[in-house]
Amino acid sequence: MFRQTIVSYSRHTGCYIRSARAVASRGRRLAIVAHPCHHKPQLQRQLIHTSPIKLTASPAIHRLDAVEEKEPTPVSVEDGPIGEYKRLVQAGQFIDDSFQRLIVSRLDRLYRELLDYTPASSPMDASKALGGVGYLRKLFGRGNGDQEKMPEDTPRGLYIYGDVGTGKTTTMDLFYDMIPTTHKRRIHFHAFMLDVHSRINTFKRTHRAADDPVPTIARELAAQAYVLCFDEFQVTDIADAMVLRRLVTELFRNGVVVVTTSNRHPDELYKNGIQRESFMPCIELLKQRCEVVSLDSGTDYRKIARETETVYFSPITADTNKVLHALVGLASGNAPVENNVELRFLGRALCVPVAANGVARFSFAQLCKDAHSAADYIELAKHYHTLILTDVPVMSMSNRNEARRFITLIDALYESHAVLIMSSEDDIYNLFTGKCEVDSFRAETAQLTGTVESAHLSEVVTEDKFNALAYAGEEEVFAFQRAVSRLVEMSSRHWIITGRNRILAENAMRQEQSVADDSQMRSAA
């Protein structure tokens, strides 16, 4: 075995690159480590991954010398996610949890594999990606593109699933913060799919109708980040399912490593969805390229973090409305109030009824009964650090569309660490009665199937209809449980203090200090 050194010019960095690679007697590539030439200082380990080198794009390549192979620098256990987790537990920022430690150990394994990983150049030629099999045919899995070989040296990612509030996102974020590369991206799955659909629309405007945008978009995403961390991976409609069917394949083909959290096992994704059989290869590929691990400790840490619920007011009364009106002034620092502010984005407009210094006020009907998408809520959370939402009703299966929008709104606010102040018909634990309705529907149907002859059963309720209705209800119940868990965390004093509204944060800190002073005085007495 010997080491070969290659010098090439990189148009990406604007300088010459010296690449040393270990070569076995048969010429098999083992490792690549890149260093800038022309008297530039050697890159540190943390920066090795920031500029993936495409040797085939260089105008000229010259072999210079061969050196002996050296073992990679060992990394201390204390330098990885496991060491950081221990430090956070000792500092009192984390609660030591055996289930979380198991997940962190898996993330630590991936972290160490990523230290010496740089994805190779894309195996597909651009002209090949735009020709041949049509876009729609590829989307529905009838092309031969999926048979192309996957890279074998890509580290296996992680798919973390489990109950709400158990620490899935927290452990993933710990891992993400430690990855020593700038070529990484952490994003909520809602926002990621919005970005993908936007890229597809842009591609269609500049290419032929038969051209396939997915390989090109996958290469763009891989060039920007070869480590993708998704929060709340979920698939609920056919448009996302058919795009993901091919996009996930192309991302893995381009050497992307995926770490994701989800409330569902991969086998449960897009369950009972339209044309789910076309989505099944995506599920199998996820299980192949990601280690699937469960985080079900039975402990909701968002509930533990709860310290106060003074940001939520119920039931709705004249006094409640007066308090909310006063809170607009408090949260905005008594800034001038503007009415009907128009927020423009993506060629559309969202009207904000009341706005003042980063604070927006909506009624539930304005924000959740009207037809709004995840894009609206994400944009709203970008521009306003505090949302005051009034008149939230108790929701049931009969208005599950509003419930779905409410859940999506909570996700957007949570991801942007916004402050939510809300008035509701009942407390947050009783805002959705869907579980009772699903249980009642199951009981009535079971009784019906026992009393109606099988020959006439199809006239009353078919098995497919039962499964579809029951699944739809279970999906809403499951999603709402996650939303309630997040609402609990968002009501804590810690959330307010670390949030984006500095006025409310300072007010909460004063309250906390006041409580501490009172406790100290009582102890002294």
Side-chain angles (χ1 to χ4, degrees), residues 159-169 188 230-235 260-269 293-296 302 404 407 411 474-475 477-483 485-486:
Y159 185 106
I160 308 167
Y161 75 98
D163 254 342
V164 296
T166 52
K168 300 184 299 295
T169 300
H188 191 275
F230 298 127
D231 191 28
E232 302 291 353
F233 193 106
Q234 56 182 318
V235 186
T260 186
T261 69
S262 179
N263 295 129
R264 295 193 173 277
H265 188 281
D267 290 337
E268 299 293 312
L269 292 172
V293 290
S294 170
L295 178 50
D296 270 330
R302 293 181 190 136
R404 260 289 168 192
I407 292 166
D411 285 344
E474 288 170 354
E475 279 292 304
V477 172
F478 199 93
F480 211 93
Q481 286 174 344
R482 185 187 76 243
S485 179
R486 290 191 159 185

Side-chain angles (χ1 to χ4, degrees), residues 120-166:
S121 301
S122 170
M124 290 188 64
D125 182 76
S127 60
K128 194 175 169 187
L130 296 179
V133 183
Y135 170 48
L136 290 177
R137 190 178 173 193
K138 281 193 171 188
L139 266 186
F140 286 88
R142 294 177 183 145
N144 59 5
D146 293 347
Q147 304 303 318
E148 296 180 29
K149 189 176 180 182
M150 291 281 182
E152 297 179 357
D153 60 344
T154 305
R156 195 178 184 204
L158 216 66
Y159 185 106
I160 308 167
Y161 75 98
D163 254 342
V164 296
T166 52

Side-chain angles (χ1 to χ4, degrees), residues 23 29 83 85 88 94 132 145 181 198 274 283 288 316-317 332 346 367 381 390 432 449 497:
V23 180
R29 192 183 86 175
Y85 182 80
L88 291 170
F94 278 16
T181 178
S198 175
I274 300 172
I283 293 176
Q288 176 188 339
I316 301 168
T317 64
S332 64
L346 299 176
L367 210 49
T390 66
F432 190 66
T449 56
I497 290 174

Side-chain angles (χ1 to χ4, degrees), residues 17-30:
I17 299 294
R18 181 171 62 249
S19 301
R21 67 177 180 179
V23 180
S25 57
R26 296 182 181 178
R28 181 168 60 90
R29 192 183 86 175
L30 299 181

Side-chain angles (χ1 to χ4, degrees), residues 303 309 316 326 361 377 405 502:
K303 287 186 178 179
E309 290 184 351
I316 301 168
R361 175 170 174 165
Y377 300 140
R405 294 188 192 108
R502 300 318 307 159

Side-chain angles (χ1 to χ4, degrees), residues 48 86 120 128 160 162 181 199 219 263 281 294 332 342 349 375 385 398 473 489 491 504:
I48 284 175
K86 289 179 179 177
K128 194 175 169 187
I160 308 167
T181 178
R199 290 172 186 255
R219 284 195 302 276
N263 295 129
S294 170
S332 64
E342 202 167 57
H385 52 63
S398 61
E489 183 179 358
S491 70
L504 290 181

Side-chain angles (χ1 to χ4, degrees), residues 190-297:
H190 265 316
F192 176 74
M193 289 310 301
L194 287 171
D195 178 40
V196 169
H197 286 297
S198 175
R199 290 172 186 255
I200 290 174
N201 291 334
T202 300
F203 182 96
K204 287 179 178 179
R205 289 197 296 269
T206 56
H207 294 76
R208 297 173 302 170
D211 291 344
D212 182 6
V214 176
T216 299
I217 291 170
R219 284 195 302 276
E220 290 175 353
L221 292 169
Q224 294 167 0
Y226 61 82
V227 180
L228 284 178
C229 294
F230 298 127
D231 191 28
E232 302 291 353
F233 193 106
Q234 56 182 318
V235 186
T236 56
D237 64 74
I238 188 171
D240 285 352
M242 293 303 102
V243 169
L244 282 170
R245 162 71 178 86
R246 301 223 39 254
L247 181 64
V248 168
T249 300
E250 295 298 332
L251 287 173
F252 286 135
R253 187 170 292 140
N254 281 273
V256 171
V257 177
V258 171
V259 176
T260 186
T261 69
S262 179
N263 295 129
R264 295 193 173 277
H265 188 281
D267 290 337
E268 299 293 312
L269 292 172
Y270 197 48
K271 189 176 179 181
N272 292 349
I274 300 172
Q275 297 189 17
R276 188 174 188 259
E277 66 279 0
S278 296
F279 185 69
M280 290 302 296
C282 178
I283 293 176
E284 294 305 315
L285 187 59
L286 276 171
K287 293 192 293 185
Q288 176 188 339
R289 308 296 289 192
C290 297
E291 181 183 2
V292 179
V293 290
S294 170
L295 178 50
D296 270 330
S297 67

